[in-house]
Amino acid sequence: MRRNRLGKSKVQVTELGFGGGPLGGLFAPLDDETAAGALETAWESGIRYFDTSPHYGIGHSERRTGGLLRGKPREEVTLSTKVGRLLVPQDPAGRMDESFAVAATHRRVWDFTRDGVLRSVEDSLERMGVDRIDVLFLHDAEERFEDALREGYPALAELRAQGLVGAIGAGMYHPGKLTRLVEESDVDVVMLSGRYTLLDQSALDELLPACSDRGISVLAASIFNSGLLAMPRPAEGATFDYVPAALQMLERAQRIADVCEAHGVTLPELAMAFPLRHPVVSGIVVGMRTEEEVRSNIAAFGVKIPAQVWDDLRSEGLLDERAPVHD
């Protein structure tokens, strides 16, 4: 699988990355055996970039990702995780976590201070059983952006200068705040959630031009917008950004699916191909939880999209004219 470099760093990622959110029990419980099967299938399929976070299943995703890495050549893997939430042990008292389908054995404490970042990294290394992290992101800092920029970013830059991490950046859904980060810091990469997809190209306004100007890479996450683009034919009740999609958005997705069907491709295939047409996008990150999902995503990722598909989408007003789509 093709690899691309992140910004000016030496870190490379495969164009298809494994998103570790589902490994933490996102939406539904997940057992260790099923998670291990998904990770192993991804490895066998050529994926070498694995992204995780303490937030995903209050540590379960990191632990499971580390289980795969302990059996693989570490130099072949690019591993990213995130900082911003510390995990504090607590008595679950029979409760489940508020965000993932796991027992509430820990609570999250927001902390973008230098000490908080260093402690988070130390905890992540221990959970995963590794001695280094390749890419480190400030995570979900939309509501705490000033703290992340003024305190968290310098801590990440310090770790990079010491050679303890290879590349640094932030993972958020807010293009405007990521643009500020790009313009006011020296990051290598940003992970953008759901804002450069077939249904939302708002990153074209400021973020992607800023990244292009400064030589910063983008990793596109949530490329299916949490579900609406994940099926060949979107159905009523499909989610957009984790809530039921509005009728207008559902109809737009169905119109895109019509164009796909006319050319013998599917909506998920097109959704995976679209972000990678932009020169600043180094890879896409797709959440996966089972062997079957991995195989399905690998198959969709490998499909060649006829050029006429993009032209038809533009002629029907379904694609921003600024979005690069042709070689």
Side-chain angles (χ1 to χ4, degrees), residues 142 145 172-184 192 195 202-203 205-207:
E142 284 85 355
F145 183 74
M172 290 189 277
Y173 66 83
H174 196 294
K177 291 182 177 178
L178 283 175
T179 302
R180 271 197 64 197
L181 179 74
V182 165
E183 294 176 342
E184 298 180 24
L192 176 64
R195 297 298 174 261
S202 54
D205 294 339
E206 297 179 336
L207 178 60

Side-chain angles (χ1 to χ4, degrees), residues 18 22-25 28-42 64 68 288-295:
F18 189 105
L23 296 184
L30 184 71
D31 61 83
D32 284 347
E33 184 179 358
T34 301
L39 286 161
E40 187 64 38
T41 301
R64 287 164 167 167
L68 171 78
M288 308 183 220
R289 61 187 294 125
T290 65
E291 296 179 33
E292 292 74 20
E293 285 187 7
V294 174
R295 292 192 182 98

Side-chain angles (χ1 to χ4, degrees), residues 11-266:
V11 179
Q12 294 187 338
V13 296
T14 48
E15 285 192 325
L16 177 57
F18 189 105
L23 296 184
L26 182 63
F27 301 131
L30 184 71
D31 61 83
D32 284 347
E33 184 179 358
T34 301
L39 286 161
E40 187 64 38
T41 301
W43 179 272
E44 292 171 355
S45 301
I47 293 175
R48 293 296 183 269
Y49 173 41
F50 295 85
D51 174 68
T52 184
S53 168
H55 171 55
Y56 302 154
I58 47 177
H60 279 65
S61 177
E62 285 192 324
R63 176 176 59 80
R64 287 164 167 167
T65 301
L68 171 78
L69 300 184
R70 281 192 286 276
K72 308 300 180 188
R74 182 64 181 87
E75 66 277 6
E76 293 186 19
V77 183
T78 300
L79 172 65
S80 63
T81 194
K82 307 177 180 80
V83 297
R85 296 175 177 92
L86 291 173
L87 303 183
V88 179
Q90 66 178 6
D91 181 356
R95 292 177 292 111
M96 297 296 287
D97 180 64
E98 67 272 16
S99 302
F100 293 80
V102 296
T105 57
H106 295 71
R107 60 185 176 89
R108 300 168 180 83
V109 177
W110 287 101
D111 194 334
F112 285 105
T113 66
R114 178 181 182 276
D115 287 347
V117 167
L118 297 182
R119 178 180 163 189
S120 182
V121 170
E122 183 178 351
D123 290 348
S124 291
L125 291 171
E126 182 176 352
R127 274 191 293 270
M128 292 188 286
V130 297
D131 60 1
R132 74 175 191 279
I133 295 163
D134 300 300
V135 189
L136 191 60
F137 293 107
L138 302 165
H139 196 196
D140 291 346
E142 284 85 355
E143 304 303 320
R144 296 165 175 80
F145 183 74
E146 296 302 327
D147 290 341
L149 179 62
R150 305 304 173 198
E151 299 184 63
Y153 161 71
L156 266 60
E158 179 183 336
L159 291 169
R160 181 180 60 185
Q162 295 171 348
L164 298 177
V165 298
I168 60 173
M172 290 189 277
Y173 66 83
H174 196 294
K177 291 182 177 178
L178 283 175
T179 302
R180 271 197 64 197
L181 179 74
V182 165
E183 294 176 342
E184 298 180 24
S185 72
D186 182 30
V187 294
D188 304 291
V189 57
V190 295
M191 182 177 287
L192 176 64
S193 178
R195 297 298 174 261
Y196 194 59
T197 73
L198 288 175
L199 293 172
D200 187 329
Q201 291 126 51
S202 54
L204 286 168
D205 294 339
E206 297 179 336
L207 178 60
L208 299 189
C211 289
S212 180
D213 289 344
R214 296 179 65 89
I216 292 170
S217 293
V218 173
L219 294 169
S222 298
I223 59 167
F224 300 137
N225 286 118
S226 85
L228 190 53
L229 297 172
M231 301 296 291
R233 174 58 60 178
E236 187 175 349
T239 57
F240 178 85
D241 286 359
Y242 304 102
V243 298
L247 180 60
Q248 182 180 8
M249 191 64 75
L250 179 61
E251 290 175 346
R252 185 178 183 87
Q254 290 170 339
R255 289 178 63 199
I256 298 173
D258 290 340
V259 175
C260 290
E261 289 178 4
H263 293 280
V265 296
T266 69

